[in-house]
Amino acid sequence: MIVHGIGSAAERRKQVEEMIGIVGLSKQQLNRFPHEFSGGQRQRIGIARALILRPKLIIADEPVSALDVSIQAQILNLMQDLQKEFKLTYLFISHDLSVVRHISDRVAVMYLGKVVEVADKKSLYEKPTHPYTQALLSAVPVPDPHQTTQRIILEGDMPSPANPPAGCTFHPRCRHCMEICKTTVPPLKEQTASHWVSCHLE
């Protein structure tokens, strides 16, 4: 890890050692080559690099997708601890809805690059409104073998983001599609307090 322009070389080294310790690594590991670190250790190094300049916002794009489940949990818990310690805001991007539920306070669901629903975590997971959000959450595995959920199967293929359909981009796969959906983009409207949805049904 290299930090430029912050004090002397000794001061920079001290800052790096402190940050490495904060993310759960030891200063003895600083002289290792990249291939000598595991995936989880590399992710800790990435977090340390992001934190070294004390940002207020960190954009994390699929930060745990390449890790096994046990390591994912360690990294997510670390990120939550660091969020409290450094008063951070995360913009957390993920396709794993279980991970999103664990880490997020507020969730935005996107389809073909457009936000279709925004809500606080509890509201979104307990009462999803947009048909795409409903389909996504119906596919999340339920850990209770006695609890069953009705899976919503989307028909057709996702259109190309380079050539999205007119109107609501989700309409070719939506079981509730109406004529207006094929021609008019639905605005993002407030359904209830802090819950917004882009759908002509609402």
Side-chain angles (χ1 to χ4, degrees):
M1 183 185 302
I2 301 174
V3 183
H4 296 288
I6 305 177
S8 65
E11 290 171 334
R12 293 197 297 271
R13 175 79 183 191
K14 182 180 179 182
Q15 288 180 346
V16 169
E17 290 177 354
E18 289 176 352
M19 188 56 69
I20 282 293
I22 287 172
V23 299
L25 298 174
S26 67
K27 62 181 180 182
Q28 287 77 22
Q29 295 174 302
L30 285 174
N31 296 320
R32 288 186 183 179
F33 291 101
H35 70 272
E36 296 180 285
F37 292 97
S38 67
Q41 289 173 330
R42 292 180 190 183
Q43 201 64 293
R44 290 174 187 272
I45 292 169
I47 293 170
R49 292 178 65 185
L51 284 177
I52 197 72
L53 294 178
R54 299 296 195 273
K56 293 182 179 180
L57 169 69
I58 290 181
I59 300 174
D61 189 357
E62 298 284 2
V64 296
S65 60
L67 306 175
D68 65 46
V69 175
S70 62
I71 303 301
Q72 279 188 9
Q74 293 176 21
I75 297 300
L76 291 172
N77 290 336
L78 172 64
M79 291 181 69
Q80 289 181 313
D81 291 342
L82 294 173
Q83 184 179 32
K84 295 175 184 176
E85 182 176 350
F86 291 93
K87 296 180 172 58
L88 295 169
T89 296
Y90 292 135
L91 176 56
F92 193 95
I93 303 166
S94 178
H95 288 85
D96 189 327
L97 296 176
S98 298
V99 168
V100 170
R101 187 171 194 167
H102 181 78
I103 195 76
S104 302
D105 297 313
R106 191 161 175 77
V107 182
V109 178
M110 299 184 73
Y111 184 80
L112 287 184
K114 293 184 180 295
V115 174
V116 297
E117 189 162 2
V118 183
D120 63 272
K121 175 175 61 180
K122 187 175 187 295
S123 176
L124 186 95
Y125 278 81
E126 291 184 358
K127 194 176 180 181
T129 300
H130 195 277
Y132 178 59
T133 309
Q134 293 171 350
L136 282 179
L137 294 180
S138 77
V140 176
V142 178
D144 184 353
H146 302 292
Q147 181 179 347
T148 58
T149 57
Q150 184 176 358
R151 176 78 185 273
I152 300 172
I153 306 297
L154 297 180
E155 297 182 357
D157 297 321
M158 182 179 290
S160 168
N163 186 29
C168 172
T169 55
F170 185 62
H171 86 259
R173 307 181 73 193
C174 183
R175 55 185 176 155
H176 304 294
C177 179
M178 304 177 291
E179 284 303 313
I180 189 174
C181 304
K182 301 175 183 179
T183 58
T184 306
V185 178
L188 193 63
K189 297 179 293 186
E190 188 173 16
Q191 182 192 41
T192 59
S194 74
H195 194 146
W196 297 70
V197 63
S198 173
C199 184
H200 291 299
L201 283 173
E202 301 305 318

